[in-house]
Short mmCIF file of all heavy atoms in Angstrom, two decimals:
data_model
loop_
_atom_site.label_atom_id
_atom_site.label_comp_id
_atom_site.label_asym_id
_atom_site.label_seq_id
_atom_site.Cartn_x
_atom_site.Cartn_y
_atom_site.Cartn_z
N THR A 128 19.40 -7.31 1.85
CA THR A 128 19.95 -8.52 2.52
C THR A 128 20.00 -8.48 4.00
O THR A 128 19.55 -9.39 4.61
CB THR A 128 21.33 -8.82 1.89
OG1 THR A 128 21.28 -8.91 0.48
CG2 THR A 128 21.93 -10.13 2.46
N ALA A 129 20.37 -7.35 4.50
CA ALA A 129 20.56 -7.17 5.98
C ALA A 129 19.19 -7.41 6.68
O ALA A 129 19.06 -8.10 7.66
CB ALA A 129 21.10 -5.85 6.32
N GLY A 130 18.09 -6.84 6.09
CA GLY A 130 16.75 -7.03 6.62
C GLY A 130 16.31 -8.51 6.55
O GLY A 130 15.81 -8.98 7.55
N VAL A 131 16.54 -9.15 5.43
CA VAL A 131 16.06 -10.52 5.38
C VAL A 131 16.91 -11.49 6.31
O VAL A 131 16.36 -12.35 6.91
CB VAL A 131 16.04 -11.00 3.87
CG1 VAL A 131 15.62 -12.47 3.82
CG2 VAL A 131 15.07 -10.19 3.12
N GLN A 132 18.18 -11.17 6.44
CA GLN A 132 18.93 -11.85 7.38
C GLN A 132 18.49 -11.66 8.80
O GLN A 132 18.48 -12.63 9.62
CB GLN A 132 20.42 -11.45 7.27
CG GLN A 132 21.11 -11.98 5.99
CD GLN A 132 22.48 -11.46 5.78
OE1 GLN A 132 22.88 -10.38 6.23
NE2 GLN A 132 23.28 -12.24 4.97
N ALA A 133 18.04 -10.45 9.08
CA ALA A 133 17.49 -10.20 10.51
C ALA A 133 16.24 -10.89 10.67
O ALA A 133 15.99 -11.55 11.75
CB ALA A 133 17.24 -8.71 10.65
N PHE A 134 15.34 -10.99 9.59
CA PHE A 134 14.16 -11.81 9.74
C PHE A 134 14.50 -13.29 9.96
O PHE A 134 13.79 -13.96 10.66
CB PHE A 134 13.25 -11.68 8.45
CG PHE A 134 12.82 -10.22 8.15
CD1 PHE A 134 12.51 -9.84 6.82
CD2 PHE A 134 12.63 -9.29 9.13
CE1 PHE A 134 12.16 -8.55 6.53
CE2 PHE A 134 12.18 -7.96 8.88
CZ PHE A 134 11.91 -7.62 7.56
N ALA A 135 15.45 -13.77 9.19
CA ALA A 135 15.80 -15.20 9.34
C ALA A 135 16.37 -15.43 10.78
O ALA A 135 16.21 -16.58 11.35
CB ALA A 135 16.98 -15.52 8.38
N GLY A 136 16.92 -14.45 11.38
CA GLY A 136 17.44 -14.55 12.81
C GLY A 136 16.36 -14.36 13.88
O GLY A 136 16.73 -14.45 15.05
N GLY A 137 15.13 -14.13 13.49
CA GLY A 137 13.99 -14.00 14.44
C GLY A 137 13.44 -12.64 14.63
O GLY A 137 12.43 -12.51 15.35
N THR A 138 13.99 -11.65 13.95
CA THR A 138 13.34 -10.32 14.01
C THR A 138 11.97 -10.40 13.23
O THR A 138 11.91 -11.07 12.19
CB THR A 138 14.26 -9.25 13.39
OG1 THR A 138 15.44 -9.18 14.00
CG2 THR A 138 13.59 -7.94 13.24
N ALA A 139 10.94 -9.76 13.79
CA ALA A 139 9.63 -9.80 13.17
C ALA A 139 9.66 -9.24 11.77
O ALA A 139 10.25 -8.18 11.60
CB ALA A 139 8.68 -9.10 14.07
N ASN A 140 9.01 -9.88 10.88
CA ASN A 140 8.90 -9.42 9.48
C ASN A 140 7.77 -8.60 9.22
O ASN A 140 6.66 -9.03 9.03
CB ASN A 140 8.94 -10.58 8.49
CG ASN A 140 8.69 -10.22 7.04
OD1 ASN A 140 8.75 -8.98 6.69
ND2 ASN A 140 8.54 -11.14 6.14
N TYR A 141 7.91 -7.24 9.32
CA TYR A 141 6.78 -6.25 9.06
C TYR A 141 7.06 -5.55 7.70
O TYR A 141 6.35 -4.63 7.32
CB TYR A 141 6.71 -5.24 10.15
CG TYR A 141 6.43 -5.80 11.50
CD1 TYR A 141 7.14 -5.46 12.65
CD2 TYR A 141 5.37 -6.74 11.71
CE1 TYR A 141 6.86 -5.92 13.89
CE2 TYR A 141 5.11 -7.25 12.96
CZ TYR A 141 5.82 -6.84 14.00
OH TYR A 141 5.59 -7.42 15.25
N GLY A 142 8.14 -6.00 7.01
CA GLY A 142 8.40 -5.46 5.71
C GLY A 142 9.15 -4.18 5.71
O GLY A 142 9.90 -3.90 6.69
N TRP A 143 9.10 -3.36 4.71
CA TRP A 143 9.81 -2.07 4.57
C TRP A 143 9.04 -0.94 4.22
O TRP A 143 7.88 -1.04 3.58
CB TRP A 143 10.82 -2.30 3.35
CG TRP A 143 11.93 -3.34 3.69
CD1 TRP A 143 13.10 -3.10 4.36
CD2 TRP A 143 11.91 -4.69 3.35
NE1 TRP A 143 13.78 -4.25 4.46
CE2 TRP A 143 13.07 -5.25 3.84
CE3 TRP A 143 10.96 -5.52 2.73
CZ2 TRP A 143 13.45 -6.60 3.71
CZ3 TRP A 143 11.32 -6.86 2.56
CH2 TRP A 143 12.51 -7.40 3.03
N HIS A 144 9.55 0.20 4.50
CA HIS A 144 9.01 1.47 4.24
C HIS A 144 9.89 2.12 3.17
O HIS A 144 11.13 2.24 3.40
CB HIS A 144 9.00 2.34 5.53
CG HIS A 144 8.33 3.63 5.48
ND1 HIS A 144 8.96 4.78 5.87
CD2 HIS A 144 7.05 3.95 5.19
CE1 HIS A 144 8.14 5.78 5.71
NE2 HIS A 144 6.96 5.39 5.38
N LEU A 145 9.45 2.38 2.04
CA LEU A 145 10.20 2.96 0.95
C LEU A 145 10.07 4.46 0.95
O LEU A 145 9.01 5.02 0.87
CB LEU A 145 9.65 2.39 -0.46
CG LEU A 145 10.56 2.71 -1.63
CD1 LEU A 145 11.90 2.00 -1.48
CD2 LEU A 145 9.87 2.36 -2.96
N VAL A 146 11.19 5.09 1.25
CA VAL A 146 11.25 6.53 1.49
C VAL A 146 12.14 7.25 0.39
O VAL A 146 13.23 6.85 0.19
CB VAL A 146 11.77 6.85 2.88
CG1 VAL A 146 11.79 8.38 3.18
CG2 VAL A 146 11.01 6.19 3.95
N GLU A 147 11.56 8.39 -0.18
CA GLU A 147 12.32 9.20 -1.11
C GLU A 147 13.51 9.85 -0.39
O GLU A 147 13.29 10.41 0.64
CB GLU A 147 11.47 10.14 -1.82
CG GLU A 147 10.45 9.48 -2.67
CD GLU A 147 9.69 10.55 -3.54
OE1 GLU A 147 10.19 11.62 -3.79
OE2 GLU A 147 8.56 10.18 -3.96
N VAL A 148 14.65 9.82 -1.09
CA VAL A 148 15.81 10.51 -0.51
C VAL A 148 16.18 11.69 -1.35
O VAL A 148 16.54 12.78 -0.78
CB VAL A 148 17.06 9.50 -0.49
CG1 VAL A 148 18.28 10.21 0.04
CG2 VAL A 148 16.71 8.30 0.36
N ALA A 149 16.14 11.61 -2.70
CA ALA A 149 16.54 12.75 -3.54
C ALA A 149 15.82 12.60 -4.88
O ALA A 149 15.46 11.53 -5.31
CB ALA A 149 18.05 12.83 -3.73
N GLY A 150 15.68 13.72 -5.52
CA GLY A 150 15.15 13.77 -6.94
C GLY A 150 14.07 14.80 -7.01
O GLY A 150 13.80 15.56 -6.16
N ARG A 151 13.41 14.81 -8.16
CA ARG A 151 12.39 15.76 -8.53
C ARG A 151 11.12 15.62 -7.59
O ARG A 151 10.75 14.51 -7.27
CB ARG A 151 11.99 15.63 -9.94
CG ARG A 151 11.11 16.79 -10.43
CD ARG A 151 10.87 16.61 -11.94
NE ARG A 151 9.95 17.48 -12.37
CZ ARG A 151 10.01 18.34 -13.39
NH1 ARG A 151 11.18 18.35 -14.05
NH2 ARG A 151 9.08 19.11 -13.72
N ALA A 152 10.56 16.70 -7.16
CA ALA A 152 9.48 16.75 -6.26
C ALA A 152 8.16 16.56 -7.00
O ALA A 152 7.35 17.42 -7.20
CB ALA A 152 9.40 18.02 -5.45
N THR A 153 7.97 15.34 -7.51
CA THR A 153 6.74 14.97 -8.24
C THR A 153 6.36 13.54 -7.85
O THR A 153 7.08 12.84 -7.19
CB THR A 153 6.96 14.93 -9.79
OG1 THR A 153 8.03 13.92 -9.99
CG2 THR A 153 7.38 16.24 -10.36
N THR A 154 5.14 13.19 -8.19
CA THR A 154 4.62 11.85 -7.89
C THR A 154 5.26 10.80 -8.76
O THR A 154 5.24 10.96 -9.99
CB THR A 154 3.14 11.87 -7.92
OG1 THR A 154 2.58 12.72 -6.98
CG2 THR A 154 2.57 10.40 -7.56
N LYS A 155 5.83 9.72 -8.20
CA LYS A 155 6.30 8.59 -8.87
C LYS A 155 5.39 7.45 -8.69
O LYS A 155 4.90 7.26 -7.55
CB LYS A 155 7.75 8.22 -8.46
CG LYS A 155 8.87 8.94 -9.18
CD LYS A 155 8.92 10.43 -8.91
CE LYS A 155 9.28 10.71 -7.48
NZ LYS A 155 9.13 12.08 -7.02
#
Side-chain angles (χ1 to χ4, degrees):
T128 304
V131 177
Q132 288 172 336
F134 300 152
T138 298
N140 175 7
Y141 300 132
W143 293 272
H144 187 234
L145 192 66
V146 179
E147 293 190 22
V148 178
R151 189 176 171 128
T153 59
T154 299
K155 275 65 69 191

